[in-house]
């Protein structure tokens, strides 16, 4: 039977984008869902987002670098004088208060890569590299050798997330490489394309004969509704999340801005108290 796989990655807590993508995938007769990691934060999705994804019974469900960062924060592996760490620690504490311990345990248990065979087509799925869920080696403009090295000779297709950019290319051997882009936080170096902040995903069709078709999808959703949800749920850094949803631009690596916001909201002391208590 022909399989239509909805490839999803990098939701980052964006409930409204996720809902829109799932509706579009079901309208396009998706037979299975593969999630390539980074489910939570900085958006307002918590236990509700987990349950919505679980209800789809994903054939593949991977752990991304943000999951690892959350787990590291909750283990106290950060410095109070690092504004970026305070940002992640604050958001991780919020998440920890809004999901069950069972969710946290399941999140930690998910792999960062897997190999599946669909109608005779062997597919490697990873968040980034099969043995490393972070880094920039698979950004679209990186050398061909990086993409050749990510796949062994017995694979037909590799799918990955992490870069938030839709990509389809091949290895030097001709194997297919697909990145579906980000559901919740799309990105492009090119300003005209970056301005298009619709939710990204991809459909991978494999028929009974192992013939492959790929369709990249971009889905409109209500960004103002998402901003309002973050405010209603009192998500930390909600003003910065509103800026992200309106512009597409993150503040994750803007240390000066984060230091100002942390001081304005007393996040350093709040983090110190929370993690001391826990």
């Amino acid at each position: 039977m022909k399989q239509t796989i909805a490839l999803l990655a990098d939701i980052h807590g964006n409930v409204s984008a996720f809902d829109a993508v799932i509706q579009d995938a079901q309208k396009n007769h998706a037979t299975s869902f593969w999630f390539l990691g980074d489910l939570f934060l900085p958006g307002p999705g918590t236990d509700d987002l987990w349950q919505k994804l679980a209800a789809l019974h994903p054939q593949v469900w991977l752990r991304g670098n943000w999951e690892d960062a959350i787990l590291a924060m909750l283990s106290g592996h950060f410095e109070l004088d690092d504004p970026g760490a305070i940002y992640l620690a604050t958001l991780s504490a919020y998440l920890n208060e809004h999901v069950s311990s069972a969710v946290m345990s399941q999140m930690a248990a998910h792999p960062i890569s897997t190999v599946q065979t669909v109608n005779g087509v062997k597919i490697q799925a990873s968040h980034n590299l099969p043995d490393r869920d972070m880094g920039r080696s698979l950004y679209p403009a990186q050398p061909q050798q990086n993409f050749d090295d990510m796949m062994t000779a017995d694979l037909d297709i590799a799918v990955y997330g992490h870069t938030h950019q839709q990509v389809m290319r091949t290895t030097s051997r001709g194997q297919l490489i697909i990145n579906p882009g980000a559901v919740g936080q799309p990105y492009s170096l090119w300003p005209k394309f970056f301005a298009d902040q619709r939710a990204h995903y991809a459909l991978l069709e494999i028929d009974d004969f192992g013939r492959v078709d790929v369709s990249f999808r971009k889905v409109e959703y209500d960004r103002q509704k998402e901003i309002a949800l973050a405010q209603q749920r009192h998500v930390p850094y909600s003003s910065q999340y509103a800026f992200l949803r309106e512009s597409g631009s993150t503040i994750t690596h803007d240390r000066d801005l984060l230091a100002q916001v942390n001081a304005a909201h007393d996040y350093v002391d709040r983090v110190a108290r929370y993690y001391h208590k826990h």
Side-chain angles (χ1 to χ4, degrees):
M1 185 179 76
K2 183 178 81 169
Q3 299 294 314
T4 301
I5 304 167
L7 300 173
L8 315 177
D10 299 284
I11 296 169
H12 284 288
N14 191 332
V15 178
S16 306
F18 177 75
D19 286 344
V21 160
I22 296 310
Q23 290 176 16
D24 189 81
Q26 291 173 336
K27 183 179 68 176
N28 284 279
H29 311 294
T31 56
S32 62
F33 293 84
W34 291 19
F35 177 59
L36 306 179
D38 282 7
L39 178 61
F40 294 126
L41 303 181
T46 54
D47 188 68
D48 60 326
L49 187 54
W50 180 276
Q51 298 304 329
K52 287 181 180 185
L53 180 58
L56 298 172
H57 305 290
Q59 184 179 355
V60 168
W61 188 335
L62 301 182
R63 189 179 84 246
N65 62 299
W66 270 65
E67 278 89 352
D68 281 345
I70 292 163
L71 294 167
M73 293 297 110
L74 293 174
S75 297
H77 294 162
F78 62 89
E79 300 294 333
L80 289 173
D81 60 356
D82 181 347
I86 295 300
Y87 173 70
L88 287 171
T90 300
L91 289 169
S92 298
Y94 174 85
L95 180 67
N96 195 44
E97 294 300 310
H98 290 83
V99 300
S100 67
S101 58
V103 164
M104 285 296 182
S105 297
Q106 291 174 53
M107 184 175 75
H110 285 146
I112 64 170
S113 66
T114 187
V115 174
Q116 304 282 324
T117 300
V118 179
N119 288 347
V121 178
K122 193 170 184 180
I123 308 169
Q124 173 181 278
S126 56
H127 182 67
N128 185 43
L129 293 167
D131 59 353
R132 189 166 184 262
D133 62 11
M134 60 185 301
R136 293 178 171 265
S137 62
L138 297 181
Y139 274 55
Q142 290 298 307
Q144 178 67 39
Q145 191 63 48
N146 292 5
F147 295 90
D148 291 350
D149 290 345
M150 76 177 292
M151 297 180 69
T152 56
D154 63 331
L155 293 167
D156 300 304
I157 299 174
V159 297
Y160 75 105
H162 185 59
T163 73
H164 296 211
Q165 299 171 74
Q166 292 184 329
V167 171
M168 185 165 68
R169 61 182 294 163
T170 66
T171 66
S172 297
R173 295 183 290 261
Q175 299 152 296
L176 186 62
I177 300 172
I178 303 163
N179 189 316
V183 170
Q185 200 168 300
Y187 179 72
S188 174
L189 285 171
W190 196 250
K192 186 173 290 186
F193 298 150
F194 185 56
D196 181 355
Q197 283 290 303
R198 290 176 294 172
H200 291 181
Y201 81 105
L203 293 168
L204 173 61
E205 295 184 0
I206 305 175
D207 71 10
D208 292 341
F209 303 99
R211 296 178 298 193
V212 174
D213 285 301
V214 180
S215 175
F216 287 108
R217 304 287 299 167
K218 295 184 176 72
V219 184
E220 191 60 79
Y221 71 97
D222 190 339
R223 286 185 277 167
Q224 292 305 313
K225 177 183 176 182
E226 179 68 11
I227 291 169
L229 182 62
Q231 293 169 342
Q232 291 164 12
R233 294 186 176 183
H234 304 290
V235 179
Y237 302 92
S238 60
S239 295
Q240 287 68 46
Y241 187 64
F243 173 74
L244 171 61
R245 293 280 63 85
E246 290 168 344
S247 68
S249 298
T250 68
I251 62 157
T252 309
H253 304 294
D254 189 337
R255 292 174 59 87
D256 291 339
L257 176 59
L258 286 173
Q260 294 173 22
V261 176
N262 292 343
H265 293 272
D266 198 27
Y267 282 140
V268 176
D269 287 343
R270 290 163 66 178
V271 160
R273 291 195 301 271
Y274 181 87
Y275 286 87
H276 177 73
K277 182 174 68 174
H278 288 75

